[in-house]
Amino acid sequence: MAEDEITGYIESIRIQKKKEISVAYDKSKKIFQSVIKNSEKMKEGCKRLVEETESQLTEEGVKKMGWASKVRSFKAINALAHYIDDQLVDFQVPNSSQKLTSSELSQFIRVLSRLMNEISREQGTTDSIMGLDFMIKKRAIYVPLSKMKSDLASLRNLQKEEYQIIKTLEDLHGLSTDVKNISEKISITEEEINNLQVSSKKQKEIKNETEKQLTLYQEDPLIKESRKRGIRMTELEIEIGRHLNSFKKVFKKYAREIQRGSISGEFGLVNTALAYEDDPVHRFLDEDEGNPEIIALFEELIKVGKVDLHLKQKHINNLRQELNNLSQGKMDSWKKEWHNLLATKAKEENGSEFKSINNKLLECENEIQTLKDKIRNLQEEIDLKNKERNQLTESLSERHQRANTLLTKVLENQK
């Protein structure tokens, strides 16, 4: 929604409701003049009453009055006159020629309403003391006070009726400013999104080129063979792990029971159990030829497993089967192949040519990771900016709906 559209709404209301707007200002002018007039009359009435009553409230005057009720009445009306006069000291009425905004009118109505309520409260207290005494004297302040209450009612009616048009115009001006600001923010946000997208595209292009270079390094025979060896070594570790990893809990239980003193065992076997509990595969690969430590541990576990460790028969059977595999050297070929691959890999990777290519490869990988992080961060910023733009667009739509509602209401309901 364009700012100009709301400006058009404002002009349409000004033209169609020109008479009502003029009436609103004329009425407010007359009411303010009346409030000023009546507040001045109250001040004058208070001054007269103070002068009249205080001259009677001297010691001599009180003696002449004689009746206690009459004295109380004089004191009560004197106090009321003083109270009203004090309240009116800071009371300010807007200039009758001034065209108040709806918020300024509301503020004055609140001030006048508070003043009337406070004076009425004191008036009630005074009347309860005075009864029907001094009715003529009380008219000096009660009549203008009553007229000011009437002025207050007129202001409230004005606020609900003709001044609603003025309030609508003010609201539309506010919406026009909002629309302008929101539209500017949307333009700025869209420009930021565009810049971020350009940056993201550039980073992706750099990443694609770096990945192509990385592929070239990865296809180098030295790198390719080294990686094949690494993959094969991992496969061998997985195969060995399938045989040994399932016994980790048994190794742990054996070591803990000996440490607690529940069963007796050799110190060396305890260390072996702890080592195999931590990392069975690499402990096996580090063992001497023939695997004496793990074979001795399996033999001990089979020996004490059922009675001292309370292992189930299936665990005992698994231990026996694995001990048989170890004794027959079924995993030794894997171990030998792994160590051969390790030696070859280490020898080749120490070569200057391999190091040179591998360093470039690692640089590419690091650069690609850095670029991925940049692209991800840029995308997060783009998503955030898109969210901001959507929220701003929704706010713009809300202002549009609000402006239409205000226009419809003032043109249809204020006829």
Side-chain angles (χ1 to χ4, degrees), residues 168-209:
T168 298
L169 289 171
E170 292 167 354
D171 288 345
L172 285 170
H173 275 295
L175 288 172
S176 177
T177 301
D178 284 352
V179 166
K180 180 182 178 182
N181 293 337
I182 292 170
S183 298
E184 288 175 356
K185 287 180 181 178
I186 289 175
S187 296
I188 292 169
T189 304
E190 287 178 341
E191 185 177 351
E192 289 173 341
I193 291 170
N194 183 62
N195 291 337
L196 288 168
Q197 288 174 334
V198 170
S199 296
S200 179
K201 183 180 178 182
K202 184 177 179 180
Q203 296 299 318
K204 287 176 181 177
E205 289 172 354
I206 296 172
K207 175 175 158 289
N208 290 338
E209 290 301 315

mmCIF file of all heavy atoms in Angstrom, residues 168-209:
data_model
loop_
_atom_site.group_PDB
_atom_site.id
_atom_site.type_symbol
_atom_site.label_atom_id
_atom_site.label_comp_id
_atom_site.label_asym_id
_atom_site.label_seq_id
_atom_site.Cartn_x
_atom_site.Cartn_y
_atom_site.Cartn_z
ATOM 1 N N THR A 168 -9.994 10.303 13.367
ATOM 2 C CA THR A 168 -9.751 9.427 12.215
ATOM 3 C C THR A 168 -8.688 10.026 11.297
ATOM 4 O O THR A 168 -7.791 9.319 10.825
ATOM 5 C CB THR A 168 -11.056 9.212 11.422
ATOM 6 O OG1 THR A 168 -12.009 8.559 12.265
ATOM 7 C CG2 THR A 168 -10.800 8.357 10.187
ATOM 8 N N LEU A 169 -8.783 11.322 11.042
ATOM 9 C CA LEU A 169 -7.774 11.993 10.205
ATOM 10 C C LEU A 169 -6.392 11.885 10.831
ATOM 11 O O LEU A 169 -5.396 11.631 10.144
ATOM 12 C CB LEU A 169 -8.146 13.464 10.006
ATOM 13 C CG LEU A 169 -9.362 13.733 9.104
ATOM 14 C CD1 LEU A 169 -9.760 15.202 9.177
ATOM 15 C CD2 LEU A 169 -9.067 13.327 7.666
ATOM 16 N N GLU A 170 -6.317 12.056 12.145
ATOM 17 C CA GLU A 170 -5.032 11.943 12.851
ATOM 18 C C GLU A 170 -4.489 10.519 12.762
ATOM 19 O O GLU A 170 -3.285 10.301 12.537
ATOM 20 C CB GLU A 170 -5.190 12.364 14.311
ATOM 21 C CG GLU A 170 -5.482 13.843 14.482
ATOM 22 C CD GLU A 170 -5.938 14.214 15.884
ATOM 23 O OE1 GLU A 170 -6.134 13.293 16.715
ATOM 24 O OE2 GLU A 170 -6.110 15.406 16.155
ATOM 25 N N ASP A 171 -5.399 9.555 12.929
ATOM 26 C CA ASP A 171 -4.979 8.143 12.833
ATOM 27 C C ASP A 171 -4.462 7.837 11.429
ATOM 28 O O ASP A 171 -3.467 7.102 11.265
ATOM 29 C CB ASP A 171 -6.141 7.215 13.171
ATOM 30 C CG ASP A 171 -6.482 7.236 14.656
ATOM 31 O OD1 ASP A 171 -5.651 7.732 15.443
ATOM 32 O OD2 ASP A 171 -7.572 6.771 15.026
ATOM 33 N N LEU A 172 -5.136 8.375 10.430
ATOM 34 C CA LEU A 172 -4.708 8.144 9.051
ATOM 35 C C LEU A 172 -3.353 8.806 8.775
ATOM 36 O O LEU A 172 -2.513 8.243 8.056
ATOM 37 C CB LEU A 172 -5.755 8.664 8.071
ATOM 38 C CG LEU A 172 -7.020 7.813 7.937
ATOM 39 C CD1 LEU A 172 -8.082 8.548 7.120
ATOM 40 C CD2 LEU A 172 -6.711 6.459 7.296
ATOM 41 N N HIS A 173 -3.135 9.995 9.351
ATOM 42 C CA HIS A 173 -1.820 10.636 9.221
ATOM 43 C C HIS A 173 -0.747 9.746 9.847
ATOM 44 O O HIS A 173 0.347 9.586 9.288
ATOM 45 C CB HIS A 173 -1.824 12.009 9.903
ATOM 46 C CG HIS A 173 -2.338 13.114 9.033
ATOM 47 N ND1 HIS A 173 -1.676 13.519 7.885
ATOM 48 C CD2 HIS A 173 -3.446 13.903 9.126
ATOM 49 C CE1 HIS A 173 -2.343 14.513 7.314
ATOM 50 N NE2 HIS A 173 -3.437 14.762 8.043
ATOM 51 N N GLY A 174 -1.082 9.186 11.020
ATOM 52 C CA GLY A 174 -0.141 8.272 11.683
ATOM 53 C C GLY A 174 0.139 7.040 10.842
ATOM 54 O O GLY A 174 1.291 6.597 10.718
ATOM 55 N N LEU A 175 -0.920 6.489 10.249
ATOM 56 C CA LEU A 175 -0.756 5.317 9.375
ATOM 57 C C LEU A 175 0.065 5.667 8.143
ATOM 58 O O LEU A 175 0.877 4.856 7.672
ATOM 59 C CB LEU A 175 -2.126 4.789 8.956
ATOM 60 C CG LEU A 175 -2.939 4.070 10.038
ATOM 61 C CD1 LEU A 175 -4.349 3.786 9.544
ATOM 62 C CD2 LEU A 175 -2.258 2.781 10.463
ATOM 63 N N SER A 176 -0.144 6.890 7.622
ATOM 64 C CA SER A 176 0.622 7.330 6.459
ATOM 65 C C SER A 176 2.115 7.368 6.777
ATOM 66 O O SER A 176 2.953 6.912 5.986
ATOM 67 C CB SER A 176 0.146 8.712 6.020
ATOM 68 O OG SER A 176 0.924 9.198 4.940
ATOM 69 N N THR A 177 2.445 7.886 7.964
ATOM 70 C CA THR A 177 3.849 7.913 8.399
ATOM 71 C C THR A 177 4.383 6.501 8.570
ATOM 72 O O THR A 177 5.511 6.187 8.163
ATOM 73 C CB THR A 177 3.970 8.684 9.730
ATOM 74 O OG1 THR A 177 3.477 10.014 9.554
ATOM 75 C CG2 THR A 177 5.419 8.741 10.194
ATOM 76 N N ASP A 178 3.555 5.632 9.184
ATOM 77 C CA ASP A 178 3.954 4.224 9.361
ATOM 78 C C ASP A 178 4.236 3.556 8.023
ATOM 79 O O ASP A 178 5.238 2.854 7.855
ATOM 80 C CB ASP A 178 2.845 3.443 10.089
ATOM 81 C CG ASP A 178 2.811 3.748 11.572
ATOM 82 O OD1 ASP A 178 3.739 4.444 12.047
ATOM 83 O OD2 ASP A 178 1.865 3.309 12.249
ATOM 84 N N VAL A 179 3.330 3.758 7.075
ATOM 85 C CA VAL A 179 3.470 3.140 5.752
ATOM 86 C C VAL A 179 4.758 3.614 5.073
ATOM 87 O O VAL A 179 5.493 2.823 4.473
ATOM 88 C CB VAL A 179 2.240 3.455 4.866
ATOM 89 C CG1 VAL A 179 2.526 3.128 3.403
ATOM 90 C CG2 VAL A 179 1.034 2.675 5.360
ATOM 91 N N LYS A 180 5.030 4.901 5.204
ATOM 92 C CA LYS A 180 6.255 5.447 4.617
ATOM 93 C C LYS A 180 7.491 4.795 5.232
ATOM 94 O O LYS A 180 8.400 4.340 4.521
ATOM 95 C CB LYS A 180 6.302 6.960 4.835
ATOM 96 C CG LYS A 180 7.553 7.617 4.263
ATOM 97 C CD LYS A 180 7.561 9.114 4.548
ATOM 98 C CE LYS A 180 8.837 9.756 4.016
ATOM 99 N NZ LYS A 180 8.889 11.209 4.313
ATOM 100 N N ASN A 181 7.512 4.735 6.576
ATOM 101 C CA ASN A 181 8.664 4.146 7.272
ATOM 102 C C ASN A 181 8.817 2.667 6.967
ATOM 103 O O ASN A 181 9.929 2.175 6.731
ATOM 104 C CB ASN A 181 8.527 4.357 8.785
ATOM 105 C CG ASN A 181 8.629 5.818 9.187
ATOM 106 O OD1 ASN A 181 9.208 6.619 8.459
ATOM 107 N ND2 ASN A 181 8.064 6.174 10.317
ATOM 108 N N ILE A 182 7.686 1.944 6.969
ATOM 109 C CA ILE A 182 7.737 0.498 6.706
ATOM 110 C C ILE A 182 8.185 0.233 5.271
ATOM 111 O O ILE A 182 8.990 -0.674 5.017
ATOM 112 C CB ILE A 182 6.358 -0.151 6.982
ATOM 113 C CG1 ILE A 182 6.041 -0.103 8.478
ATOM 114 C CG2 ILE A 182 6.343 -1.606 6.503
ATOM 115 C CD1 ILE A 182 4.619 -0.491 8.824
ATOM 116 N N SER A 183 7.667 1.021 4.332
ATOM 117 C CA SER A 183 8.054 0.853 2.922
ATOM 118 C C SER A 183 9.551 1.088 2.741
ATOM 119 O O SER A 183 10.225 0.355 1.990
ATOM 120 C CB SER A 183 7.263 1.811 2.035
ATOM 121 O OG SER A 183 5.882 1.540 2.103
ATOM 122 N N GLU A 184 10.074 2.089 3.438
ATOM 123 C CA GLU A 184 11.514 2.356 3.362
ATOM 124 C C GLU A 184 12.309 1.192 3.939
ATOM 125 O O GLU A 184 13.335 0.782 3.386
ATOM 126 C CB GLU A 184 11.845 3.648 4.124
ATOM 127 C CG GLU A 184 11.381 4.905 3.413
ATOM 128 C CD GLU A 184 11.609 6.165 4.234
ATOM 129 O OE1 GLU A 184 12.065 6.043 5.394
ATOM 130 O OE2 GLU A 184 11.337 7.260 3.722
ATOM 131 N N LYS A 185 11.817 0.645 5.067
ATOM 132 C CA LYS A 185 12.498 -0.499 5.687
ATOM 133 C C LYS A 185 12.467 -1.717 4.769
ATOM 134 O O LYS A 185 13.442 -2.476 4.689
ATOM 135 C CB LYS A 185 11.841 -0.838 7.030
ATOM 136 C CG LYS A 185 12.149 0.154 8.131
ATOM 137 C CD LYS A 185 11.458 -0.235 9.429
ATOM 138 C CE LYS A 185 11.740 0.772 10.523
ATOM 139 N NZ LYS A 185 11.026 0.423 11.782
ATOM 140 N N ILE A 186 11.339 -1.926 4.082
ATOM 141 C CA ILE A 186 11.234 -3.055 3.146
ATOM 142 C C ILE A 186 12.249 -2.899 2.019
ATOM 143 O O ILE A 186 12.930 -3.855 1.632
ATOM 144 C CB ILE A 186 9.796 -3.168 2.584
ATOM 145 C CG1 ILE A 186 8.840 -3.660 3.679
ATOM 146 C CG2 ILE A 186 9.754 -4.115 1.380
ATOM 147 C CD1 ILE A 186 7.386 -3.678 3.265
ATOM 148 N N SER A 187 12.362 -1.672 1.485
ATOM 149 C CA SER A 187 13.324 -1.417 0.395
ATOM 150 C C SER A 187 14.758 -1.677 0.860
ATOM 151 O O SER A 187 15.551 -2.309 0.153
ATOM 152 C CB SER A 187 13.197 0.032 -0.093
ATOM 153 O OG SER A 187 11.925 0.257 -0.652
ATOM 154 N N ILE A 188 15.061 -1.201 2.068
ATOM 155 C CA ILE A 188 16.415 -1.410 2.627
ATOM 156 C C ILE A 188 16.665 -2.898 2.829
ATOM 157 O O ILE A 188 17.734 -3.419 2.496
ATOM 158 C CB ILE A 188 16.579 -0.639 3.951
ATOM 159 C CG1 ILE A 188 16.568 0.863 3.687
ATOM 160 C CG2 ILE A 188 17.868 -1.050 4.661
ATOM 161 C CD1 ILE A 188 16.459 1.714 4.950
ATOM 162 N N THR A 189 15.663 -3.602 3.376
ATOM 163 C CA THR A 189 15.804 -5.042 3.648
ATOM 164 C C THR A 189 15.982 -5.821 2.351
ATOM 165 O O THR A 189 16.810 -6.746 2.280
ATOM 166 C CB THR A 189 14.576 -5.568 4.415
ATOM 167 O OG1 THR A 189 14.401 -4.801 5.609
ATOM 168 C CG2 THR A 189 14.756 -7.039 4.784
ATOM 169 N N GLU A 190 15.218 -5.470 1.329
ATOM 170 C CA GLU A 190 15.341 -6.159 0.034
ATOM 171 C C GLU A 190 16.717 -5.926 -0.591
ATOM 172 O O GLU A 190 17.295 -6.832 -1.203
ATOM 173 C CB GLU A 190 14.228 -5.690 -0.906
ATOM 174 C CG GLU A 190 12.867 -6.250 -0.522
ATOM 175 C CD GLU A 190 11.754 -5.761 -1.410
ATOM 176 O OE1 GLU A 190 11.952 -4.721 -2.091
ATOM 177 O OE2 GLU A 190 10.677 -6.402 -1.434
ATOM 178 N N GLU A 191 17.233 -4.719 -0.405
ATOM 179 C CA GLU A 191 18.584 -4.430 -0.917
ATOM 180 C C GLU A 191 19.625 -5.260 -0.164
ATOM 181 O O GLU A 191 20.567 -5.796 -0.763
ATOM 182 C CB GLU A 191 18.885 -2.935 -0.747
ATOM 183 C CG GLU A 191 20.216 -2.520 -1.360
ATOM 184 C CD GLU A 191 20.475 -1.034 -1.259
ATOM 185 O OE1 GLU A 191 19.544 -0.292 -0.871
ATOM 186 O OE2 GLU A 191 21.606 -0.611 -1.544
ATOM 187 N N GLU A 192 19.430 -5.385 1.153
ATOM 188 C CA GLU A 192 20.346 -6.200 1.967
ATOM 189 C C GLU A 192 20.280 -7.663 1.548
ATOM 190 O O GLU A 192 21.312 -8.341 1.453
ATOM 191 C CB GLU A 192 19.993 -6.055 3.452
ATOM 192 C CG GLU A 192 20.329 -4.688 4.024
ATOM 193 C CD GLU A 192 19.831 -4.497 5.445
ATOM 194 O OE1 GLU A 192 18.928 -5.259 5.867
ATOM 195 O OE2 GLU A 192 20.324 -3.586 6.122
ATOM 196 N N ILE A 193 19.056 -8.148 1.299
ATOM 197 C CA ILE A 193 18.887 -9.540 0.846
ATOM 198 C C ILE A 193 19.610 -9.753 -0.475
ATOM 199 O O ILE A 193 20.308 -10.757 -0.668
ATOM 200 C CB ILE A 193 17.387 -9.892 0.716
ATOM 201 C CG1 ILE A 193 16.726 -9.955 2.093
ATOM 202 C CG2 ILE A 193 17.200 -11.225 -0.010
ATOM 203 C CD1 ILE A 193 15.216 -10.059 2.047
ATOM 204 N N ASN A 194 19.440 -8.813 -1.399
ATOM 205 C CA ASN A 194 20.083 -8.908 -2.714
ATOM 206 C C ASN A 194 21.609 -8.952 -2.572
ATOM 207 O O ASN A 194 22.279 -9.771 -3.212
ATOM 208 C CB ASN A 194 19.664 -7.725 -3.584
ATOM 209 C CG ASN A 194 20.229 -7.806 -4.990
ATOM 210 O OD1 ASN A 194 19.953 -8.725 -5.738
ATOM 211 N ND2 ASN A 194 21.060 -6.832 -5.341
ATOM 212 N N ASN A 195 22.154 -8.076 -1.709
ATOM 213 C CA ASN A 195 23.605 -8.050 -1.500
ATOM 214 C C ASN A 195 24.102 -9.366 -0.897
ATOM 215 O O ASN A 195 25.163 -9.883 -1.282
ATOM 216 C CB ASN A 195 23.988 -6.885 -0.585
ATOM 217 C CG ASN A 195 23.780 -5.534 -1.251
ATOM 218 O OD1 ASN A 195 23.760 -5.441 -2.472
ATOM 219 N ND2 ASN A 195 23.609 -4.491 -0.462
ATOM 220 N N LEU A 196 23.327 -9.896 0.053
ATOM 221 C CA LEU A 196 23.698 -11.169 0.675
ATOM 222 C C LEU A 196 23.652 -12.310 -0.338
ATOM 223 O O LEU A 196 24.513 -13.199 -0.330
ATOM 224 C CB LEU A 196 22.760 -11.467 1.851
ATOM 225 C CG LEU A 196 22.944 -10.604 3.110
ATOM 226 C CD1 LEU A 196 21.772 -10.797 4.055
ATOM 227 C CD2 LEU A 196 24.247 -10.951 3.815
ATOM 228 N N GLN A 197 22.640 -12.287 -1.201
ATOM 229 C CA GLN A 197 22.520 -13.333 -2.225
ATOM 230 C C GLN A 197 23.678 -13.271 -3.228
ATOM 231 O O GLN A 197 24.183 -14.302 -3.661
ATOM 232 C CB GLN A 197 21.178 -13.195 -2.944
ATOM 233 C CG GLN A 197 19.991 -13.623 -2.084
ATOM 234 C CD GLN A 197 18.667 -13.347 -2.744
ATOM 235 O OE1 GLN A 197 18.550 -12.447 -3.583
ATOM 236 N NE2 GLN A 197 17.635 -14.099 -2.364
ATOM 237 N N VAL A 198 24.089 -12.045 -3.559
ATOM 238 C CA VAL A 198 25.238 -11.877 -4.457
ATOM 239 C C VAL A 198 26.497 -12.438 -3.794
ATOM 240 O O VAL A 198 27.276 -13.165 -4.427
ATOM 241 C CB VAL A 198 25.431 -10.383 -4.814
ATOM 242 C CG1 VAL A 198 26.765 -10.171 -5.532
ATOM 243 C CG2 VAL A 198 24.280 -9.896 -5.688
ATOM 244 N N SER A 199 26.672 -12.120 -2.514
ATOM 245 C CA SER A 199 27.838 -12.626 -1.773
ATOM 246 C C SER A 199 27.804 -14.142 -1.688
ATOM 247 O O SER A 199 28.830 -14.814 -1.866
ATOM 248 C CB SER A 199 27.870 -12.026 -0.361
ATOM 249 O OG SER A 199 28.034 -10.638 -0.407
ATOM 250 N N SER A 200 26.618 -14.692 -1.422
ATOM 251 C CA SER A 200 26.471 -16.142 -1.313
ATOM 252 C C SER A 200 26.796 -16.822 -2.641
ATOM 253 O O SER A 200 27.490 -17.852 -2.687
ATOM 254 C CB SER A 200 25.042 -16.494 -0.880
ATOM 255 O OG SER A 200 24.860 -17.881 -0.792
ATOM 256 N N LYS A 201 26.295 -16.247 -3.728
ATOM 257 C CA LYS A 201 26.569 -16.803 -5.060
ATOM 258 C C LYS A 201 28.063 -16.807 -5.358
ATOM 259 O O LYS A 201 28.619 -17.799 -5.878
ATOM 260 C CB LYS A 201 25.818 -15.996 -6.114
ATOM 261 C CG LYS A 201 25.988 -16.537 -7.531
ATOM 262 C CD LYS A 201 25.222 -15.678 -8.539
ATOM 263 C CE LYS A 201 25.433 -16.199 -9.955
ATOM 264 N NZ LYS A 201 24.738 -15.352 -10.954
ATOM 265 N N LYS A 202 28.725 -15.720 -4.985
ATOM 266 C CA LYS A 202 30.167 -15.605 -5.230
ATOM 267 C C LYS A 202 30.929 -16.664 -4.428
ATOM 268 O O LYS A 202 31.845 -17.325 -4.950
ATOM 269 C CB LYS A 202 30.646 -14.205 -4.837
ATOM 270 C CG LYS A 202 32.114 -13.958 -5.139
ATOM 271 C CD LYS A 202 32.499 -12.533 -4.795
ATOM 272 C CE LYS A 202 33.985 -12.306 -5.083
ATOM 273 N NZ LYS A 202 34.391 -10.919 -4.748
ATOM 274 N N GLN A 203 30.545 -16.844 -3.161
ATOM 275 C CA GLN A 203 31.200 -17.846 -2.313
ATOM 276 C C GLN A 203 30.968 -19.259 -2.851
ATOM 277 O O GLN A 203 31.858 -20.110 -2.802
ATOM 278 C CB GLN A 203 30.682 -17.745 -0.876
ATOM 279 C CG GLN A 203 31.003 -16.436 -0.169
ATOM 280 C CD GLN A 203 32.492 -16.180 -0.041
ATOM 281 O OE1 GLN A 203 33.258 -17.091 0.265
ATOM 282 N NE2 GLN A 203 32.914 -14.961 -0.311
ATOM 283 N N LYS A 204 29.774 -19.511 -3.371
ATOM 284 C CA LYS A 204 29.472 -20.835 -3.950
ATOM 285 C C LYS A 204 30.315 -21.098 -5.191
ATOM 286 O O LYS A 204 30.769 -22.231 -5.422
ATOM 287 C CB LYS A 204 27.977 -20.926 -4.289
ATOM 288 C CG LYS A 204 27.085 -21.056 -3.069
ATOM 289 C CD LYS A 204 25.612 -21.038 -3.447
ATOM 290 C CE LYS A 204 24.726 -21.142 -2.219
ATOM 291 N NZ LYS A 204 23.284 -21.061 -2.551
ATOM 292 N N GLU A 205 30.505 -20.050 -5.988
ATOM 293 C CA GLU A 205 31.339 -20.205 -7.190
ATOM 294 C C GLU A 205 32.779 -20.519 -6.806
ATOM 295 O O GLU A 205 33.429 -21.388 -7.403
ATOM 296 C CB GLU A 205 31.280 -18.917 -8.020
ATOM 297 C CG GLU A 205 29.933 -18.700 -8.712
ATOM 298 C CD GLU A 205 29.822 -17.329 -9.361
ATOM 299 O OE1 GLU A 205 30.754 -16.507 -9.163
ATOM 300 O OE2 GLU A 205 28.812 -17.074 -10.057
ATOM 301 N N ILE A 206 33.289 -19.807 -5.795
ATOM 302 C CA ILE A 206 34.654 -20.077 -5.307
ATOM 303 C C ILE A 206 34.747 -21.500 -4.758
ATOM 304 O O ILE A 206 35.719 -22.217 -5.007
ATOM 305 C CB ILE A 206 35.047 -19.055 -4.216
ATOM 306 C CG1 ILE A 206 35.101 -17.649 -4.808
ATOM 307 C CG2 ILE A 206 36.399 -19.414 -3.605
ATOM 308 C CD1 ILE A 206 35.290 -16.545 -3.781
ATOM 309 N N LYS A 207 33.707 -21.912 -4.020
ATOM 310 C CA LYS A 207 33.683 -23.268 -3.443
ATOM 311 C C LYS A 207 33.694 -24.313 -4.553
ATOM 312 O O LYS A 207 34.405 -25.331 -4.455
ATOM 313 C CB LYS A 207 32.445 -23.422 -2.567
ATOM 314 C CG LYS A 207 32.235 -24.820 -1.994
ATOM 315 C CD LYS A 207 31.051 -24.824 -1.049
ATOM 316 C CE LYS A 207 30.464 -26.199 -0.866
ATOM 317 N NZ LYS A 207 29.755 -26.694 -2.045
ATOM 318 N N ASN A 208 32.908 -24.106 -5.607
ATOM 319 C CA ASN A 208 32.869 -25.064 -6.723
ATOM 320 C C ASN A 208 34.237 -25.198 -7.383
ATOM 321 O O ASN A 208 34.675 -26.314 -7.705
ATOM 322 C CB ASN A 208 31.833 -24.620 -7.762
ATOM 323 C CG ASN A 208 30.408 -24.772 -7.257
ATOM 324 O OD1 ASN A 208 30.145 -25.541 -6.338
ATOM 325 N ND2 ASN A 208 29.482 -24.019 -7.831
ATOM 326 N N GLU A 209 34.912 -24.073 -7.559
ATOM 327 C CA GLU A 209 36.254 -24.118 -8.170
ATOM 328 C C GLU A 209 37.235 -24.824 -7.254
ATOM 329 O O GLU A 209 38.084 -25.603 -7.716
ATOM 330 C CB GLU A 209 36.737 -22.689 -8.467
ATOM 331 C CG GLU A 209 35.989 -21.987 -9.588
ATOM 332 C CD GLU A 209 36.093 -22.757 -10.909
ATOM 333 O OE1 GLU A 209 37.214 -23.202 -11.253
ATOM 334 O OE2 GLU A 209 35.055 -22.925 -11.572
#
